[in-house]
Amino acid sequence: MTRLQGKVAVVTGAARGLGAAIATRLCEEGAAVMLTDILDGEETSQRLRDAGHQAAFTVMDVAKRDAWKPVLSDTASRFGGIDILVNNAGVYRPATIETIDLDDLIDVYGINLFGPMLGMQAVIPYMRERGGGSIINIASNATDFIFPETISYGSSKAALANMTKAVAVHCGRQGYRIRANSIHPGPHATAMMGTDSPLVQRIPLGRMGTPEELAATVVYLASDDAAFVTATELFVDGGLIAA
Ligand SMILES: NC(=O)c1ccc[n+]([C@@H]2O[C@H](COP(=O)([O-])OP(=O)(O)OC[C@H]3O[C@@H](n4cnc5c(N)ncnc54)[C@H](O)[C@@H]3O)[C@@H](O)[C@H]2O)c1
């Protein structure tokens, strides 16, 4: 399992949940990983180093426009460059059109949409220096699976998927060899989703996904196995969106 030997990755929201599983699997595939979060991710990072992997943790709020540059610069000088960015940090705040508060919407967009935009903008020069790279944005199947309460979350993720494609087309046309794709998970057992979901009975595969299964799709998009895959939406939801 060394499909990412010599690669360097930055993963946001990596202190727990899907982000921690993604960082772990990227390390297991040979990548050096910078974990970032607003929560303390040092324990996860230490566990990875104890297992012989190259990993570091730094506190970073993805929504803060000045936060990205120092973190990417530190990552590049520590590990020699940056090849992979996984924009995983995200928040879910339930609200309908009748209950939504504009400040709350701006907050959700700040984390789920503006943060990834800042990250993609800041990482492109590093990836160009390496002759290419892979940007993976964790969206949600809420882009297409609509509930009244997902007005802010779903619209932020739908915009993220659209933005990902604009970045992919731009980078492709510029000849940067930088790919950009979005992953659209269905229910996975994490702090955000809990260990049970009312949606489970509607999932054709009959269960929630595991963080490890989601991490495997990140590795695919990060690796050369996906060399011709860009501007795509990859649904990892046990078939829920089709059912
Ligand atoms: N778990 C699911 O079923 C599911 C389904 C669809 C999409 N997703 C998406 O997957 C991603 C990970 O979700 P999860 O289930 O692991 O959630 P989680 O709440 O367990 O983890 C999210 C992480 O993001 C971090 N975070 C929040 N705001 C941040 C900020 N401003 N800056 C940096 N980090 C921040 C949190 O501290 C946390 O560690 C999210 O983008 C989420 O929308 C999850």
Side-chain angles (χ1 to χ4, degrees):
M1 291 217 301
T2 52
R3 290 152 85 191
L4 301 176
Q5 199 66 47
K7 303 287 187 195
V8 179
V10 175
V11 182
T12 69
R16 70 180 191 196
L18 300 184
I22 291 165
T24 301
R25 185 68 199 277
L26 291 173
C27 277
E28 288 169 356
E29 294 284 351
V33 179
M34 175 62 84
L35 297 87
T36 74
D37 206 302
I38 46 169
L39 296 177
D40 187 3
E42 190 46 49
E43 202 182 311
T44 308
S45 168
Q46 186 61 51
R47 180 175 49 76
L48 291 169
R49 286 194 297 276
D50 290 346
H53 303 303
Q54 281 185 281
F57 169 75
T58 188
V59 174
M60 182 179 77
D61 182 340
V62 296
K64 295 266 183 303
R65 73 171 73 204
D66 297 330
W68 280 92
K69 282 189 178 158
V71 171
L72 297 189
S73 163
D74 177 41
T75 304
S77 46
R78 194 185 285 247
F79 296 128
I82 305 174
D83 308 280
I84 300 158
L85 170 63
V86 185
N87 279 310
N88 165 79
V91 289
Y92 172 67
R93 309 248 175 88
T96 70
I97 184 60
E98 296 196 75
T99 61
I100 196 165
D101 170 77
L102 182 59
D103 287 337
D104 214 33
L105 180 71
I106 291 169
D107 205 30
V108 170
Y109 278 22
I111 297 164
N112 293 1
L113 179 63
F114 307 153
M117 184 281 287
L118 292 169
M120 290 191 283
Q121 188 174 59
V123 85
I124 284 174
Y126 290 97
M127 291 183 171
R128 288 184 65 189
E129 222 173 285
R130 300 280 266 191
S134 176
I135 295 169
I136 298 152
N137 291 327
I138 307 298
S140 168
N141 73 348
T143 53
D144 293 57
F145 199 86
I146 310 297
F147 286 103
E149 300 78 17
T150 57
I151 184 165
S152 53
Y153 180 77
S155 61
S156 72
K157 295 294 193 177
L160 177 61
N162 188 288
M163 183 186 284
T164 307
K165 290 177 193 169
V167 172
V169 170
H170 172 78
C171 290
R173 293 249 161 85
Q174 294 296 320
Y176 293 165
R177 294 167 55 90
I178 298 171
R179 297 180 292 104
N181 295 287
S182 53
I183 292 181
H184 299 239
H188 284 68
T190 64
M192 179 186 279
M193 182 55 75
T195 51
D196 194 19
S197 164
L199 286 174
V200 169
Q201 57 216 27
R202 298 179 63 168
I203 299 174
L205 290 186
R207 62 175 177 84
M208 296 174 81
T210 68
E212 292 71 27
E213 287 169 326
L214 197 278
T217 65
V218 171
V219 167
Y220 163 66
L221 288 175
S223 77
D224 288 343
D225 286 345
F228 199 52
V229 180
T230 196
T232 200
E233 299 181 356
L234 179 49
F235 281 75
V236 184
D237 69 349
L240 179 57
I241 204 69

